[in-house]
Amino acid sequence: MAWLLVVVAGLLETGFAVCLKLSHGFTRLWPTIAFAAFALGSFGLLTLALKKLDVGPAYAVWTGIGAAGTAVYGMVFLGDVASTLKIVSIALVILGVIGLQLSGSAH
């Protein structure tokens, strides 16, 4: 259950990163409100998950999901440039997250 919280928190991290961009420096109301909601949800779920998980792997999974999710969202929906190197790098982040999960260092 704790790992599910980390995954959802990572997806919410993607949401707050995208809303941060859409807020244009907190000058647009609704993206700013969405940023705050996603950030509070993400940090709240991560906090709950860290009660049962080691901080290193959990934090790495959270940031990995957030980073990869944000990069993919940017390429698909925001017109960010997609390149082979960027896609390979995202795959490496995901593989690193999987490796940490399989390392057995988490409960």
Side-chain angles (χ1 to χ4, degrees):
M1 180 63 175
W3 280 111
L4 178 61
L5 294 176
V6 173
V7 169
V8 174
L11 295 172
L12 291 174
E13 184 188 1
T14 297
F16 83 68
V18 169
C19 289
L20 186 61
K21 174 166 177 65
L22 297 176
S23 77
H24 289 263
F26 300 123
T27 61
R28 293 184 175 169
L29 180 62
W30 293 112
T32 299
I33 291 170
F35 160 80
F38 282 127
L40 286 171
S42 180
F43 285 113
L45 292 177
L46 181 63
T47 299
L48 292 174
L50 288 176
K51 290 180 178 182
K52 297 189 178 192
L53 300 173
D54 292 340
V55 68
Y59 184 76
V61 168
W62 178 69
T63 58
I65 291 169
T70 303
V72 170
Y73 187 95
M75 288 185 292
V76 173
F77 297 107
L78 299 177
D80 291 357
V81 175
S83 67
T84 302
L85 181 57
K86 189 181 281 189
I87 293 167
V88 168
S89 298
I90 292 168
L92 289 172
V93 168
I94 293 168
L95 287 172
V97 166
I98 292 169
L100 279 170
Q101 178 69 355
L102 295 176
S103 70
S105 61
H107 301 126

